[in-house]
Amino acid sequence: MSGGDIAGLIAAGVFALLVLLLAVPILKLGGVFDEVRTSIRSISDGATPLMDEVTATVTTTNEQLKKVDGISSNVSDASANISALSSLMAATVGSPLIKVAAFSYGVRSAFSTRKKPATGRRSR
């Protein structure tokens, strides 16, 4: 064997050692990728039922909001009716009641001034 053959054998041995040293991290990286794949699969398997539950919850919430919307529109109608009734009562009862109150105040003040003797007058 010549010197070139020995150098070739040494180079081949170093190259084989290098390949073996690089194979270990690559194998470990393959194991990490397997774990990541397993984790993603379990997360996606767990996420599907959660999405179904969220969809059901949103559907139920929308139904309840429709009921609340109906209730609020009924309350709005009732408050409009009460407001109209209040203004009708004010117009019907309020104006005559104010007139009666004003008339009774006038009568009371007329009688109260009549009962009081006039002060500051001298009679002769």
Side-chain angles (χ1 to χ4, degrees):
M1 277 201 175
S2 70
D5 291 338
I6 295 175
L9 283 175
I10 292 174
V14 170
F15 183 73
L17 184 65
L18 180 66
V19 167
L20 286 175
L21 289 176
L22 289 178
V24 173
I26 290 174
L27 290 175
K28 287 183 179 181
L29 186 63
V32 169
F33 284 147
D34 289 339
E35 288 294 322
V36 167
R37 185 180 319 120
T38 305
S39 297
I40 290 174
R41 185 173 295 128
S42 67
I43 288 172
S44 67
D45 290 344
T48 303
L50 285 175
M51 287 183 202
D52 292 340
E53 289 178 19
V54 167
T55 303
T57 302
V58 168
T59 303
T60 305
T61 303
N62 284 338
E63 291 172 3
Q64 295 299 324
L65 286 175
K66 286 178 186 176
K67 290 178 182 178
V68 169
D69 187 38
I71 291 170
S72 63
S73 68
N74 289 339
V75 168
S76 174
D77 292 343
S79 64
N81 290 340
I82 289 172
S83 174
L85 182 64
S86 171
S87 58
L88 178 67
M89 288 298 290
T92 303
V93 175
S95 178
L97 193 61
I98 291 172
K99 289 178 183 176
V100 167
F103 178 74
S104 67
Y105 176 75
V107 169
R108 276 187 294 153
S109 64
F111 279 126
S112 66
T113 57
R114 210 166 176 221
K115 291 180 182 178
K116 291 182 184 175
T119 57
R121 285 183 151 185
R122 294 186 196 176
S123 56
R124 290 188 186 172

